[in-house]
Amino acid sequence: MSLSLGTIFAQAQPQGGGMEMLIMLAVFGLVFYFMIYRPQAKRVKEHKTLMSALSKGDEVLTQGGLVGKIAKVSDEKDFVVVAIADNTEVTVQKASISAVLPKGTMKSL
């Protein structure tokens, strides 16, 4: 009985096909799709509908934390003018608006 390193190594290796590897890759692909890609795509779609629905008079919250009322919407450009106080207007990109607030929110602040 001769025990060489090659025979010991060959006996220790599992004898399986590549089918288990394909199943494992498919499971990881599904986990990636449902846990990462799908929720992010849903958020992007919701933000695009929010940006397209902006109109004059909406009270909005920007990503910088400013709360104001939309004074002017530019259709050909991606900018809106937001009135944050009397005689104070700021021009911001539509993409920087994170939420449309309910009417009357500015008065309650």
Side-chain angles (χ1 to χ4, degrees):
M1 285 200 124
S2 113
L3 293 174
S4 68
L5 188 58
T7 59
I8 293 173
F9 184 70
Q11 291 174 356
Q13 292 252 344
Q15 299 294 326
M19 196 60 161
E20 292 86 10
M21 182 66 85
L22 291 176
I23 292 171
M24 186 173 65
L25 285 174
V27 168
F28 280 134
L30 288 173
V31 168
F32 176 79
Y33 176 75
F34 283 108
M35 298 287 287
I36 297 172
Y37 179 74
R38 190 171 175 225
Q40 183 64 27
K42 185 177 177 182
R43 274 187 230 111
V44 168
K45 184 179 178 183
E46 288 173 355
H47 192 256
K48 282 184 180 181
T49 58
L50 172 98
M51 288 190 311
S52 66
L54 291 176
S55 63
K56 183 177 178 180
D58 287 344
E59 294 181 7
V60 294
L61 172 68
T62 65
Q63 289 178 353
L66 294 174
V67 176
K69 186 179 279 191
I70 295 180
K72 180 178 156 186
V73 178
S74 175
D75 289 333
E76 61 270 355
K77 297 180 183 175
D78 291 331
F79 293 95
V80 294
V81 177
V82 178
I84 55 176
D86 292 335
N87 300 324
T88 306
E89 293 180 343
V90 179
T91 303
V92 297
Q93 286 184 329
K94 285 183 180 180
S96 68
I97 294 177
S98 60
V100 175
L101 302 173
K103 300 283 184 187
T105 302
M106 288 181 60
K107 290 181 182 178
S108 66
L109 294 177

